[in-house]
Amino acid sequence: MTTSRAPFDLDATYARDVPALSLPWQAVPAPDPRLLVLNEELAAELGADPDLLREPAGVALLTGTGLPDGMTTTALVYAGHQWGVYKPRLGDGRALLLGEVVDTRGRRRDLHLKGTGPTPYSRGYDGMAAVGPMLREYLMGETMHALGIPTTRALAVVATGVEITRDRPLPGAVLARVAGSHLRVGTVQYAAGLDDPAVLQALVAHAIARHHPDASDALELFSHVVDAQASLVARWMLVGFVHGVMSTDNTTLSGETIDFGPCAFMDAVDPATVFSSLDTKGRYAYGSQPAILRWNLARLGESLGLGEAADDVLADYPRTYERHWNAGMAAKLGLSTPDPVLAADLMELLHAQGVDFTTFFRALAAGTARDLFLDRRAFDAWAARREARLPADRAAVAAGMDRVNPLYIPRNHVTDAALGAAEQGDLAPFRALLAAVREPFTGRRGLERLTLPGPAGAAHVTYCGT
Ligand code: AMP
Ligand code: MG
């Protein structure tokens, strides 16, 4: 099948600039493709006509089949430290790059498909993805975007009509996602492991041109990535987001959130919060994320061959991270200037009292936070210190807080129920949840259920999201 009017003009600068890091590869057929969700806002941003994407040829394209003449999909290769263990060759084991699109604002963005069948990088896995986890990635990306956090975003999820095997048979799907690029710390690790230094040089040049054009060499690129990632992880921490698998292959050079697997938002504050059944030691727990990022960035510095110069940059990382965190906390608390001690004491108090992270900040603005604490005197003491620092116009303070503290996040129990229904063919709960988290700061009637933490004791665990 050949499309006459292609929905996108696709380019392939990465394949041209660094040919050693991708491989032409084809998607497996999708026998009965059905478009489950299409991100019309994102399609428009890419300059694509949503109606074309809904046509059979458009849906086929979103599964990586029925490509226009002359177009090729490619599997990208990269390495990475997973759970601290170096894997010299990971790569797109179940994904393909469809191409690059220059969006309506002139930004070059990758259009990438996940769940397109095995590739030479599949390492014995099946190359497939299931409807539930792909809708989950869609939901999480839109949530992050609505929260103003840099992220890859899903364009569409297409059910393929293939039944895939996990712990039980599941409906298969392909996720189409858009990213600033798919350059990862692991991509640099892979290039550094090759015999040919020209590959690493070409990769660095491509990464600079694409993401940090004012950098003039690998060291400046490194500094930019450190800052972008420090800012990113601080933003995750400020909304209670736990990525779940912060391996070096899931750490981008762009500073965007990528690869939503066993990720979730923390309910009651606890630095040890994990959502992955595999993370028994808490390597990627909520409170470990800033330190793990630093570890990942150290691997990037090594792969770039920066030696001590990288250590010097990383020596500033704690301050950079703290600066982002404290500025964000000031906004969350309604303060005009950061108060690191007040913020740190709050986190300890919320942890000690098991207070729901998201609920707290809205309640603080509304003047009802005291009710969330068992030890109210401890809260009162902290609140008096904050009170003394607040600007005079309290109504403006509360309004400002409500612009940065979300009311609606994808609560785990609600998300699980919505994905369960979607797997059975009922997408209505998923669409309702998506609509809620897309406008996370504005309270609406009928959504109260979404503001409540899950039933106490119902530990939420996802199984690697595959
Ligand atoms: P992730 O944990 O999802 O970031 O994946 C880590 C690596 O495993 C990536 O290289 C993926 O492409 C690969 N991978 C994950 N699931 C599958 C699968 N079902 N089939 C093939 N490769 C996979
Ligand atoms: Mg990954």
Side-chain angles (χ1 to χ4, degrees), residues 246-328:
M246 283 181 69
S247 45
T248 56
D249 51 296
N250 288 341
T251 304
T252 56
L253 302 190
S254 64
E256 285 179 347
T257 312
I258 199 168
D259 281 1
F260 299 90
C263 62
F265 288 79
M266 170 174 74
D267 292 318
V269 172
D270 184 353
T273 303
V274 291
F275 295 105
S276 165
S277 56
L278 301 175
D279 201 355
T280 50
K281 291 186 182 155
R283 180 177 175 89
Y284 303 133
Y286 172 73
S288 308
Q289 296 185 123
I292 275 293
L293 175 65
R294 183 186 180 150
W295 192 90
N296 290 350
L297 293 169
R299 305 292 79 75
L300 176 62
E302 285 163 10
S303 300
L304 288 169
L306 298 174
E308 279 180 17
D311 299 340
D312 292 344
V313 173
L314 281 180
D316 275 340
Y317 166 82
R319 269 191 299 279
T320 309
Y321 171 78
E322 293 292 332
R323 184 165 43 79
H324 290 300
W325 161 262
N326 285 315

Side-chain angles (χ1 to χ4, degrees), residues 92-321:
D92 286 340
R94 55 167 174 168
L96 294 169
L97 182 67
L98 193 57
E100 300 154 13
V101 184
V102 177
D103 73 12
T104 50
R105 288 168 51 191
R107 297 172 299 182
R108 181 172 296 276
R109 297 168 86 179
D110 275 5
L111 185 48
H112 194 246
L113 308 172
K114 191 163 174 176
T116 43
T119 74
Y121 310 122
S122 297
R123 300 176 295 145
Y125 299 112
D126 65 359
M128 310 304 270
V131 164
M134 294 306 102
L135 288 176
R136 197 162 201 292
E137 175 153 351
Y138 192 119
L139 177 72
M140 288 296 175
E142 290 309 287
T143 299
M144 298 306 260
H145 176 72
L147 293 172
I149 299 174
T151 184
T152 62
R153 290 177 76 186
L155 176 64
V157 176
V158 180
T160 56
V162 176
E163 188 179 89
I164 71 166
T165 314
R166 293 293 180 263
D167 54 337
R168 62 203 152 96
L170 290 174
V174 172
L175 169 88
R177 78 172 174 203
V178 174
S181 81
H182 284 79
L183 302 179
R184 308 153 188 267
V185 169
T187 313
V188 180
Q189 290 180 293
Y190 182 86
L194 298 173
D195 283 334
D196 183 359
V199 176
L200 182 60
Q201 279 164 22
L203 174 61
V204 166
H206 182 87
I208 287 176
R210 200 149 169 185
H211 296 303
H212 306 289
D214 55 327
S216 55
D217 57 17
L219 181 59
E220 288 187 14
L221 171 67
F222 180 63
S223 293
H224 277 93
V225 175
V226 170
D227 195 43
Q229 281 288 339
S231 162
L232 177 67
V233 171
R235 283 157 171 250
W236 291 355
M237 299 298 285
L238 288 162
V239 294
F241 178 75
V242 182
H243 180 282
V245 192
M246 283 181 69
S247 45
T248 56
D249 51 296
N250 288 341
T251 304
T252 56
L253 302 190
S254 64
E256 285 179 347
T257 312
I258 199 168
D259 281 1
F260 299 90
C263 62
F265 288 79
M266 170 174 74
D267 292 318
V269 172
D270 184 353
T273 303
V274 291
F275 295 105
S276 165
S277 56
L278 301 175
D279 201 355
T280 50
K281 291 186 182 155
R283 180 177 175 89
Y284 303 133
Y286 172 73
S288 308
Q289 296 185 123
I292 275 293
L293 175 65
R294 183 186 180 150
W295 192 90
N296 290 350
L297 293 169
R299 305 292 79 75
L300 176 62
E302 285 163 10
S303 300
L304 288 169
L306 298 174
E308 279 180 17
D311 299 340
D312 292 344
V313 173
L314 281 180
D316 275 340
Y317 166 82
R319 269 191 299 279
T320 309
Y321 171 78

